[in-house]
Amino acid sequence: RVHATQKEAMELDWVASVGNVCAGLAFSLAVHINVGFLGGSDSTIFCLVPLLLLLSRDNGLLSRLSDSRRYFPLVAVGVGYLVAASLYRLVLRDMLEKHHILTKAGGAYRPETASLVAVARNLVSLLVTLPGHAMFCSFLWTFKHTRDIYWVLLLPLNFVPFMLSDLHSVRLLGALGIAAGAMQLLLSNRIRRYGLQFV
């Protein structure tokens, strides 16, 4: 019976790994179709990342994934996509076009890269959102209470993209940072109140 149980566990691990590969391929294909054929709107990432809820724990890369951490991949991948899209538009696209790896769209005016000042302004707007996102991702992984003073200091930084940036993906990161800060403050207070019940 023990041998049969171990065999069933091995079969379940195999199924979980295949399911994770399929979920990853489905997400990658959806992103490719969005970028390549549907115009590549950054807002659609919010419709695509729920596919990652299909990920489950296996004996490979996702061996530390659990039910309490199931929302970490959604947030991390969503933020990573928006950061990558922003860096591509601000830095990489012009470099690829300059070296004739990409064909430049004729007559396309890009205010975000019209001058070095515009690029610097957008990059600064991008950078100031990253500490808040990193803290929220860490919270989703550990669910450990962090001091509220950190969010009191970081939350206002997420308003900077609305004032300085003209890039949609950077503004989305600012909006996500505001939502993440509010959600972490709410969840942290709940965790603290729940812990005080046992003191």
Side-chain angles (χ1 to χ4, degrees), residues 22-74:
C22 291
L25 287 175
F27 175 76
S28 301
L29 182 61
V31 170
H32 176 69
I33 291 173
N34 173 54
V35 173
F37 302 100
L38 300 178
S41 173
D42 295 322
S43 302
T44 56
I45 193 65
F46 302 120
C47 300
L48 300 180
V49 289
L51 283 170
L52 300 178
L53 285 173
L54 298 172
L55 296 175
S56 59
R57 185 176 182 176
D58 60 16
N59 283 332
L61 293 174
L62 301 177
S63 59
R64 299 180 65 187
L65 188 67
S66 62
D67 287 340
S68 62
R69 295 171 172 171
R70 65 179 303 141
Y71 293 103
F72 171 82
L74 276 72

Side-chain angles (χ1 to χ4, degrees), residues 4 30 51 101 105 122 137 143 157 166 189 196:
L51 283 170
I101 298 173
N122 283 290
C137 286
F143 272 93
L157 293 177
D166 45 21
N189 287 332
L196 290 175

Side-chain angles (χ1 to χ4, degrees), residues 113-127:
T113 56
S115 65
L116 287 176
V117 174
V119 173
R121 189 176 67 239
N122 283 290
L123 283 175
V124 168
S125 300
L126 171 65
L127 290 174

